[in-house]
Amino acid sequence: MPDPSSVPTNTAASGNNSSRPTRGGRGKSRGGRGRGSSSGRHTNNGNGRHRGSGGRGGRHHRGERIPLSDEEVMIAFMKYIRQEEDSQAKDVLSRYGSDTRVFIEKAREFLKHKGTKGNSGFKSKMDAPRASTGGAEHETENGDESSRIQEQSQEDTVVQREEKEEEKNDDDDLQSSISNHNKYADHATKAAETNEDHHQDDTTSDLEKMVENLIVEEEGDEILEKQNRDILQQNASASPSVQVPPESNSLPPDAIHEQKEASLLPPTQVVKGTTTTPPSKWQPKRTHMKLPEQPGRILANNVPATITGKPPLPIRPRKELIATWQLPLTYLRERTLAMLEKAREESLADTISHPAPSLENVTIRDALRSLTVGLFRRGCAENGASAAIIAKEIVPSDKNAKEEFHFEINQQNGIIWGTVPFFTPRTPGNVVLRLYFEEDPVVTLATSQCISVIVSHVDMEQTLRFILSNFKSKRNATNFSSMHFLAAVLEQYVADPERGGKAKFQNNGAMQNMDGAGRAAWGGICEARKILDAGRHEYRQKKVKLDERIEELQQMLNEADANVDDPADQSTSNTDSESHQDDEERKGWREDLKQALKERASNERNWRDIQFSFASILKSVVRNPESSSLLKPDIIKKLELEYHLWCPLCERFAPNPFEVEHGDGSFAINYPYPISQKHHKACLESRAKMQEETIGFVVKTTPITPSSYQEESSVCMQLTKDMEMFFNSEYRSNSSIIYRKKSLAREQTQAAVIGCNSFPNGTQVVVFGSSANGFGSPNSDLDMCLQLPEGLTLTGEVGMNAMIKLGEKLEEAGMTNVDTARLTARIPVIKFDCVVETDGIKSTIECDISMQNPLACINTSLLYSYSLITPAVRILAAVVKRWASRRNINDPSRHTLSSYGYIIMLLHFLTTHRITSDGRLETIFKNNGPEGPLIPNLQWVDQRWLQSPPGTRYLEWNTKPTTQYTTMKHPSEPSYVVNTYFLRTNDEAVLTSIRNNIHCETSNPPPVGYLLAAFFRYFAYQFDYKKYVVSLNATSRSGLIEREIKAEFDGWKSAGQTLSVEDPFEEFYDVAHVLTNYNFQRIRKEFALAYSKIASCMSEGSGKFNGENLLDVICEELSNDQQ
């Protein structure tokens, strides 16, 4: 955003008359309090004291004409091409159309020569003598607009060329806006602070008169309503050879397409003259979540947003936060015209109740009404004032409101921008600013950089007292938010580094401050315990009532069913009316039983959530070494005893051995003093007893030490040998035979495709999935897809018919069980069985074939590259798949995780952990050590590391490389561009370099038995499912991928504790989305059970199990009763 003083046609917003003192902006700023309040808005006087420079001569006088914008030149010029077929215009287009800048200048000269002053039917107010607008302003309703749908038919070539140049200019504009923001903010504040008492009727605002590029003017004596519709039609059919000048930050092509579908889709769609009613479908709560999709920009304290949201902008609580927003005028114009067209259509149905809006009175304020900047917790599922911490409308929806925030028009860059003041929240956490229209909050116009509110030692007492006051103001309520914030404050607390904690405080004031913070912290913990006690009392009361109710209903249903089945009762049959009455009665009982079971599950879930929240507070205190400078040592010891009772797998606290229950149902904890080891042991024994009763085993959490696996006779080494033996017998011994069988099946399928005559010549059958990625089992299906010649596609009905004919041809070729039921799926699939014969023995191979699926083939290639790095990868994958299958937790149709999901989890573990020099296993994020991961991350490893001599420090890219060869449009999500880059290891030189560097960094690689145990332990106890997601994009530079980021940019769930697995290429896709909360807990318990078996065996020695027995115990198959 250039300096307004340098823009010759810049117009500033002048607000309504107000004599009240300003409560927003800088200096006297006190805005931002309360949810959605109107305080904190700039108020400017009616004389337009705060106006744009308008060039040297100040603001423009009436009758002065301003040059057309580049886009208006385009519109006017194209009229001569489409309507009048002017030969001179065609000559200009053919000679200069390839160069945007030159073409615009030549087109402008052509229009001057022709005497054109603007497109007939749509003149900018800046290009015509100003007419005083009436006092009445007509507010248009936000809605759907058929003309917006018609605009979607504009040629993609024009928009794509525009996008390339816009992306180049966006960064320059943002950098310019950073340097000029302070000047803008000061300019706005001075204007707001120098308001004078004038009546609004004396002088009308410049923006009421000059609605640049938005108002629809009169030409002569006629209102050009009809011609506006014609222009929309003309724009939609513009010549693809003309480039739209990239003067404004308009929507990218895919974002325009989504925008029109999401926000402006009318009840009926008009396509080529036919009207059809679109089918009802699921609508997201928020669209345009990624920055490239958003039409606008928003800066937080002059900091522009990045695509990844990192690094966050650190800021203390209750500090001023200035949001600087901008929108392209082209986007605002399109939206306004769409709203006007819809209002006009509605007026045709009822001219009395809904009169058509008067177009000449539409102002820029009408276009901005309900445009809102909101402050949200990062990852909030939806926009809108009800979901925001605080939301502020730039121009109030209520026309009678006199306060509004500062905004200006930058005609040179084709944008409108403004500033809105906020204050950061009092509590810690990550927040973002979002720009949207309150009337249509689904569409996100802009998102700011992540703002991380960090509570320092200076703010500790104030923040803790605020949380304590929230606890006390919401008594007898489950105050989860206060418990969450208290845990967050205690977790991130760091003592004053200059003083080194409470023991070194020399200043009495600082000592008193930290004593006050400590008292507030202890008060908050006590309030949280009251919520825990109240929740337990309520849980028990509801549980007793619901259990009695469920038992009663089940007994009544059993008796009724027994009477129906009783032959003696059937002999004396009732009348039809009595039988119908009995059926209705049983139906009512079943409904009551179903409702009671739901209430019981809800009661259990609420009680688990309360316990989890309180355990988070205890964990923050116990795990934070700085807590000793905030709380007294004896308090920390008591909290540590309580934390020993918590089991995350059982999701509950064990009975406290020091707790006493009174006769009235209340509880009291009589902690011993002093606390010794026997008291800790008593708590641990209570937890172990609860674990035995609840999940059937005692959880082992102690890590395995290097010494336990370095001995050749250790249990870990025996387990390693057995794993290798299992892999060789199940995978390697039969690999050549299985490969031959599947090759024959592919060849038979290829012959059927050729004989079908429904696919282009050169179509190939390609194998992907587990049969080709190096991780397939001997019994895995054969997944195939049709790879069409480059540049050819078969979609829609044509592709469907081709697949139907292929199914018929497969049956003719002798395939059995041909199933075409999934041809209507997102990716059409045909399932069939292929009979092949090898060495005189016939075998049946289960197959499926789909239409062109390039991403699946690329994904297969990535996994295959990982499988080649070291044999340990394939051995671990084989054992993990066997374990998941036998424990019945790898069936997505039953809402558990797929085998592919477990492979991604394994690769995540191997690429984020390293072996230290002393043999310990740790994450690559813990310390910035020289050691690289167990295997390099092929999507992020810097190739310079491979070209360096062995022993060179492990290197990763700052950003993933992007070239024209590594990017592709998603086959089913046109708005999503996939970066398919990764380092392929099928080159022997590359593979050798990787192995040499790995072996150099790890001279004594850990055995696969130890890695298997560490893998189980990591996902049982160490991985924070509530905060992070499993991803191969987790690197040593960026750290783990936060769930909040996925919620903000991809719409994933931010709340709750469950497993989420990011696909390596389709990063918006959660591989674990099918998981239910129950099955997630079940999978996590299986991880803990597997590790506990290994740890117990190692602690008790090899006398109880040998390696083979231990592997069988780990992969023990569930019995029918257990299933």
Side-chain angles (χ1 to χ4, degrees):
M1 291 178 290
D3 192 335
S5 62
S6 64
V7 180
T9 58
N10 214 23
T11 306
S14 59
N16 295 315
N17 177 34
S18 176
S19 59
R20 290 176 293 178
T22 301
R23 299 185 61 198
R26 299 175 182 265
K28 299 180 181 180
S29 171
R30 296 184 60 190
R33 300 179 182 271
R35 181 181 293 276
S37 74
S38 60
S39 62
R41 294 178 171 170
H42 295 289
T43 57
N44 303 321
N45 57 43
N47 284 333
R49 180 177 291 259
H50 179 53
R51 292 173 178 161
S53 59
R56 292 184 178 180
R59 63 185 179 92
H60 298 283
H61 298 285
R62 297 192 178 188
E64 186 178 349
R65 298 180 181 271
I66 305 302
L68 293 174
S69 68
D70 289 349
E71 186 169 348
E72 290 169 334
V73 170
M74 287 286 300
I75 293 174
F77 179 82
M78 291 307 298
K79 181 173 73 71
Y80 288 92
I81 297 290
R82 292 190 299 268
Q83 296 179 359
E84 302 183 12
E85 298 184 355
D86 190 285
S87 59
Q88 295 181 7
K90 290 183 178 179
D91 181 63
V92 171
L93 176 61
S94 61
R95 294 178 60 184
Y96 306 106
S98 60
D99 190 324
T100 304
R101 300 297 180 184
V102 176
F103 169 71
I104 291 297
E105 293 303 321
K106 295 298 180 181
R108 194 182 299 275
E109 293 177 3
F110 171 82
L111 294 177
K112 290 180 179 179
H113 176 71
K114 290 289 184 178
T116 302
K117 297 302 181 181
N119 188 344
S120 61
F122 187 76
K123 280 190 176 182
S124 171
K125 191 80 170 181
M126 295 294 294
D127 196 53
R130 296 185 180 172
S132 177
T133 59
E137 296 177 348
H138 297 274
E139 182 179 3
T140 60
E141 298 180 359
N142 180 26
D144 303 327
E145 167 54 50
S146 59
S147 63
R148 285 292 297 268
I149 302 302
Q150 295 167 357
E151 288 179 358
Q152 292 181 23
S153 61
Q154 186 174 1
E155 297 292 344
D156 290 340
T157 307
V158 178
V159 188
Q160 289 173 356
R161 291 176 181 174
E162 177 187 8
E163 182 185 17
K164 291 180 181 179
E165 294 203 24
E166 284 177 350
E167 290 175 351
K168 182 179 179 182
N169 295 333
D170 278 349
D171 292 338
D172 296 336
D173 292 340
L174 287 173
Q175 293 298 329
S176 176
S177 65
I178 294 173
S179 61
N180 292 321
H181 172 266
N182 290 333
K183 184 173 183 178
Y184 289 163
D186 294 340
H187 183 56
T189 305
K190 290 177 181 179
E193 292 177 352
T194 56
N195 287 336
E196 297 180 2
D197 189 10
H198 292 286
H199 294 288
Q200 183 179 2
D201 295 336
D202 294 340
T203 305
T204 308
S205 166
D206 280 354
L207 284 178
E208 300 293 340
K209 301 174 183 178
M210 303 182 303
V211 286
E212 300 168 295
N213 303 318
L214 290 175
I215 196 166
V216 180
E217 272 300 310
E218 296 181 6
E219 180 170 288
D221 298 327
E222 298 180 358
I223 299 178
L224 305 172
E225 300 180 11
K226 181 178 181 300
Q227 295 184 13
N228 283 314
R229 299 186 186 182
D230 296 338
I231 290 170
L232 290 177
Q233 297 285 352
Q234 295 166 10
N235 290 341
S237 58
S239 173
S241 63
V242 181
Q243 294 177 311
V244 178
E247 292 297 329
S248 61
N249 297 330
S250 59
L251 274 168
D254 298 329
I256 293 175
H257 178 72
E258 291 184 5
Q259 174 80 14
K260 293 171 181 176
E261 285 189 341
S263 65
L264 297 173
L265 191 65
T268 58
Q269 290 177 314
V270 180
V271 182
K272 295 182 180 181
T274 61
T275 303
T276 59
T277 302
S280 59
K281 63 178 181 179
W282 175 83
Q283 293 293 334
K285 294 182 178 179
R286 185 163 53 92
T287 62
H288 295 73
M289 292 174 281
K290 294 182 178 295
L291 291 185
E293 301 172 351
Q294 297 172 354
R297 297 289 183 269
I298 189 167
L299 285 73
N301 283 356
N302 288 336
V303 177
T306 59
I307 293 179
T308 60
K310 294 182 177 181
L313 173 64
I315 192 167
R316 290 168 52 194
R318 297 303 297 164
K319 295 301 177 183
E320 189 178 33
L321 177 65
I322 301 296
T324 305
W325 60 271
Q326 69 176 48
L327 268 181
L329 291 174
T330 53
Y331 173 82
L332 207 57
R333 179 190 300 112
E334 289 179 1
R335 183 180 184 276
T336 304
L337 291 176
M339 294 170 61
L340 292 176
E341 183 65 21
K342 186 191 176 204
R344 188 180 301 108
E345 290 177 354
E346 291 177 350
S347 68
L348 296 178
D350 188 355
T351 57
I352 299 177
S353 302
H354 299 85
S358 181
L359 299 181
E360 70 273 13
N361 288 330
V362 176
T363 68
I364 195 130
R365 283 189 170 80
D366 292 320
L368 292 178
R369 294 208 186 276
S370 87
L371 183 63
T372 305
V373 179
L375 184 66
F376 296 83
R377 290 287 174 184
R378 185 174 63 168
C380 182
E382 53 189 307
N383 298 327
S386 59
I389 300 174
I390 182 171
K392 300 182 179 182
E393 289 187 345
I394 294 161
V395 176
S397 299
D398 183 7
K399 293 186 178 182
N400 295 324
K402 295 184 178 181
E403 295 180 334
E404 64 181 35
F405 291 101
H406 166 74
F407 62 88
E408 292 186 12
I409 292 177
N410 189 319
Q411 182 69 16
Q412 181 177 355
N413 279 1
I415 60 171
I416 183 169
W417 69 275
T419 57
V420 180
F422 288 90
F423 282 96
T424 54
R426 294 178 181 271
T427 51
N430 297 315
V431 295
V432 293
L433 294 160
R434 294 180 191 163
L435 183 69
Y436 61 94
F437 281 97
E438 188 65 41
E439 294 175 345
D440 183 23
V442 173
V443 181
T444 307
L445 304 179
T447 304
S448 75
Q449 184 73 344
C450 174
I451 304 155
S452 183
V453 181
I454 299 176
V455 179
S456 66
H457 61 278
V458 178
D459 311 299
M460 184 60 61
E461 180 178 6
Q462 181 182 6
T463 302
L464 288 172
R465 289 192 179 279
F466 173 74
I467 295 174
L468 181 60
S469 66
N470 282 346
F471 271 118
K472 295 182 177 181
S473 64
K474 299 180 182 179
R475 291 187 182 275
N476 301 323
T478 306
N479 198 342
F480 287 114
S481 60
S482 296
M483 297 175 76
H484 166 75
F485 291 136
L486 178 60
V489 171
L490 296 176
E491 180 183 14
Q492 68 175 226
Y493 167 69
V494 177
D496 187 351
E498 296 181 359
R499 304 183 187 278
K502 182 182 291 189
K504 298 182 180 181
F505 280 163
Q506 302 296 328
N507 184 285
N508 291 335
M511 183 70 176
Q512 292 175 1
N513 179 56
M514 295 314 298
D515 284 344
R519 287 193 296 270
W522 176 240
I525 295 173
C526 293
E527 292 294 331
R529 182 179 283 107
K530 291 179 183 179
I531 292 177
L532 181 72
D533 294 338
R536 174 169 50 183
H537 180 69
E538 182 180 0
Y539 163 75
R540 290 184 175 181
Q541 283 186 330
K542 286 185 177 180
K543 185 177 185 302
V544 171
K545 293 181 181 179
L546 290 171
D547 287 346
E548 292 177 353
R549 178 61 176 163
I550 291 171
E551 183 179 359
E552 179 185 358
L553 290 170
Q554 287 177 338
Q555 184 177 359
M556 293 166 63
L557 284 171
N558 292 336
E559 292 176 355
D561 293 340
N563 292 335
V564 172
D565 297 335
D566 189 358
D569 185 70
Q570 290 180 1
S571 61
T572 57
S573 59
N574 297 328
T575 62
D576 292 342
S577 60
E578 291 175 345
S579 299
H580 178 72
Q581 183 177 359
D582 292 341
D583 292 341
E584 290 296 325
E585 191 174 35
R586 286 197 298 273
K587 183 179 179 180
W589 290 342
R590 289 191 179 93
E591 291 295 329
D592 292 343
L593 178 61
K594 184 179 180 180
Q595 182 63 30
L597 290 172
K598 286 184 178 179
E599 291 179 6
R600 184 170 68 177
S602 177
N603 187 41
E604 293 280 352
R605 182 169 56 252
N606 185 64
W607 173 228
R608 287 197 304 268
D609 291 341
I610 295 175
Q611 293 180 90
F612 180 84
S613 298
F614 187 71
S616 299
I617 297 174
L618 299 179
K619 179 181 177 181
S620 299
V621 175
V622 173
R623 298 284 182 88
N624 189 349
E626 303 283 347
S627 298
S628 58
S629 63
L630 184 66
L631 298 171
K632 295 180 179 179
D634 58 330
I635 291 178
I636 297 177
K637 290 182 180 179
K638 293 176 182 178
L639 298 179
E640 188 176 358
L641 283 181
E642 281 194 84
Y643 187 62
H644 284 331
L645 300 171
W646 169 249
C647 176
L649 299 178
C650 301
E651 297 183 282
R652 66 178 65 178
F653 284 96
N656 195 326
F658 311 110
E659 188 176 64
V660 178
E661 183 175 2
H662 299 297
D664 58 354
S666 61
F667 296 87
I669 302 177
N670 298 325
Y671 284 109
Y673 184 82
I675 296 175
S676 61
Q677 279 299 115
K678 66 177 182 179
H679 303 123
H680 289 277
K681 184 178 180 180
C683 292
L684 294 175
E685 289 176 350
S686 178
R687 185 180 68 183
K689 183 179 179 181
M690 179 194 67
Q691 291 171 346
E692 189 71 41
E693 295 173 352
T694 305
I695 58 179
F697 66 95
V698 178
V699 176
K700 301 289 186 180
T701 60
T702 305
I704 297 174
T705 59
S707 59
S708 62
Y709 70 79
Q710 291 174 347
E711 297 181 5
E712 188 66 26
S713 60
S714 65
V715 173
C716 191
M717 293 302 297
Q718 293 179 17
L719 175 62
T720 297
K721 293 177 181 179
D722 192 65
M723 291 172 62
E724 294 173 349
M725 186 181 301
F726 160 75
F727 178 76
N728 291 330
S729 62
E730 293 291 332
Y731 284 75
R732 285 185 174 172
S733 61
N734 300 322
S735 60
S736 60
I737 299 175
I738 294 170
Y739 178 78
R740 286 173 55 198
K741 292 179 180 180
K742 292 186 176 181
S743 296
L744 290 173
R746 192 206 69 81
E747 291 173 2
Q748 293 183 28
T749 306
Q750 178 73 62
V753 171
I754 295 174
C756 182
N757 295 326
S758 297
F759 300 95
N761 293 331
T763 300
Q764 296 293 321
V765 175
V766 179
V767 178
F768 70 95
S770 57
S771 297
N773 62 19
F775 296 106
S777 65
N779 300 322
S780 60
D781 298 344
L782 179 61
D783 299 318
M784 297 173 286
C785 70
L786 295 172
Q787 183 172 313
L788 305 181
E790 186 176 358
L792 298 180
T793 58
L794 284 178
T795 57
E797 188 175 350
V798 177
M800 173 82 67
N801 293 334
M803 293 294 285
I804 292 174
K805 291 180 181 180
L806 177 59
E808 297 172 353
K809 191 64 179 179
L810 289 171
E811 289 183 337
E812 295 176 4
M815 310 297 179
T816 60
N817 299 325
V818 178
D819 181 8
T820 59
R822 296 185 59 191
L823 287 181
T824 57
R826 181 172 67 99
I827 299 178
V829 176
I830 299 176
K831 289 183 173 292
F832 60 94
D833 294 338
C834 181
V835 179
V836 297
E837 183 176 350
T838 55
D839 299 330
I841 302 174
K842 291 185 177 181
S843 304
T844 300
I845 305 294
E846 295 182 3
C847 308
D848 55 63
I849 186 168
S850 60
M851 189 58 79
Q852 191 166 2
N853 195 354
L855 274 181
C857 297
I858 295 173
N859 194 296
T860 298
S861 194
L862 172 67
L863 298 186
Y864 181 69
S865 295
Y866 275 115
S867 70
L868 294 177
I869 295 177
T870 171
V873 178
R874 296 187 64 192
I875 295 173
L876 285 167
V879 174
V880 169
K881 289 178 67 176
R882 176 184 174 88
W883 161 78
S885 176
R886 294 175 71 87
R887 299 305 294 176
N888 198 24
I889 53 174
N890 71 331
D891 187 358
S893 64
R894 297 187 177 184
H895 302 287
T896 55
L897 192 62
S898 64
S899 297
Y900 172 65
Y902 287 108
I903 297 299
I904 298 298
M905 294 177 72
L906 176 63
L907 294 177
H908 166 88
F909 168 77
L910 295 175
T911 56
T912 57
H913 286 76
R914 62 187 172 199
I915 291 292
T916 60
S917 57
D918 58 355
R920 292 181 299 104
L921 194 68
E922 68 176 15
T923 63
I924 59 176
F925 321 112
K926 191 171 184 180
N927 296 307
N928 193 19
E931 301 89 355
L934 294 168
I935 60 174
N937 190 320
L938 296 182
Q939 292 178 282
W940 287 93
V941 61
D942 192 333
Q943 296 190 25
R944 291 175 297 179
W945 179 66
L946 302 179
Q947 300 168 0
S948 303
T952 304
R953 187 186 189 90
Y954 177 70
L955 298 175
E956 290 176 331
W957 299 110
N958 291 328
T959 57
K960 193 181 298 184
T962 302
T963 67
Q964 59 178 334
Y965 305 106
T966 62
T967 56
M968 60 175 288
K969 282 193 173 183
H970 193 280
S972 60
E973 300 289 339
S975 64
Y976 190 81
V977 177
V978 182
N979 187 348
T980 62
Y981 171 83
F982 68 91
L983 180 64
R984 287 165 171 79
T985 61
N986 50 4
D987 187 334
E988 190 64 31
V990 173
L991 191 59
T992 301
S993 298
I994 291 176
R995 289 172 176 172
N996 290 340
N997 280 278
I998 291 176
H999 294 157
C1000 180
E1001 292 188 356
T1002 309
S1003 57
N1004 186 21
V1008 291
Y1010 173 68
L1011 294 179
L1012 180 67
F1015 169 75
F1016 286 139
R1017 183 175 184 270
Y1018 177 67
F1019 286 109
Y1021 313 122
Q1022 295 177 289
F1023 189 80
D1024 190 345
Y1025 295 93
K1026 186 175 182 180
K1027 190 174 182 180
Y1028 302 108
V1029 302
V1030 177
S1031 172
L1032 294 182
N1033 286 313
T1035 65
S1036 58
R1037 293 179 181 272
S1038 62
L1040 292 171
I1041 304 300
E1042 296 179 75
R1043 181 179 293 274
E1044 281 186 0
I1045 293 179
K1046 300 302 295 180
E1048 183 65 33
F1049 295 128
D1050 292 309
W1052 291 18
K1053 292 182 179 179
S1054 61
Q1057 185 179 16
T1058 187
L1059 171 65
S1060 293
V1061 181
E1062 181 188 66
D1063 189 88
F1065 297 113
E1066 298 176 285
E1067 296 177 6
F1068 62 87
Y1069 181 68
D1070 182 4
V1071 178
H1073 72 280
V1074 297
L1075 271 183
T1076 61
N1077 183 68
Y1078 169 79
N1079 281 327
F1080 161 66
Q1081 291 297 334
R1082 182 167 157 239
I1083 290 174
R1084 191 176 182 186
K1085 289 172 186 176
E1086 289 293 343
F1087 276 114
L1089 176 60
Y1091 178 76
S1092 297
K1093 289 177 179 178
I1094 298 174
S1096 298
C1097 180
M1098 290 184 175
S1099 62
E1100 296 172 8
S1102 59
K1104 186 175 181 180
F1105 303 108
N1106 55 35
E1108 182 179 359
N1109 290 338
L1110 179 55
L1111 183 59
D1112 290 339
V1113 171
I1114 293 171
C1115 301
E1116 180 183 6
E1117 191 169 5
L1118 288 179
S1119 64
N1120 292 334
D1121 294 339
Q1122 289 174 323
Q1123 291 183 13

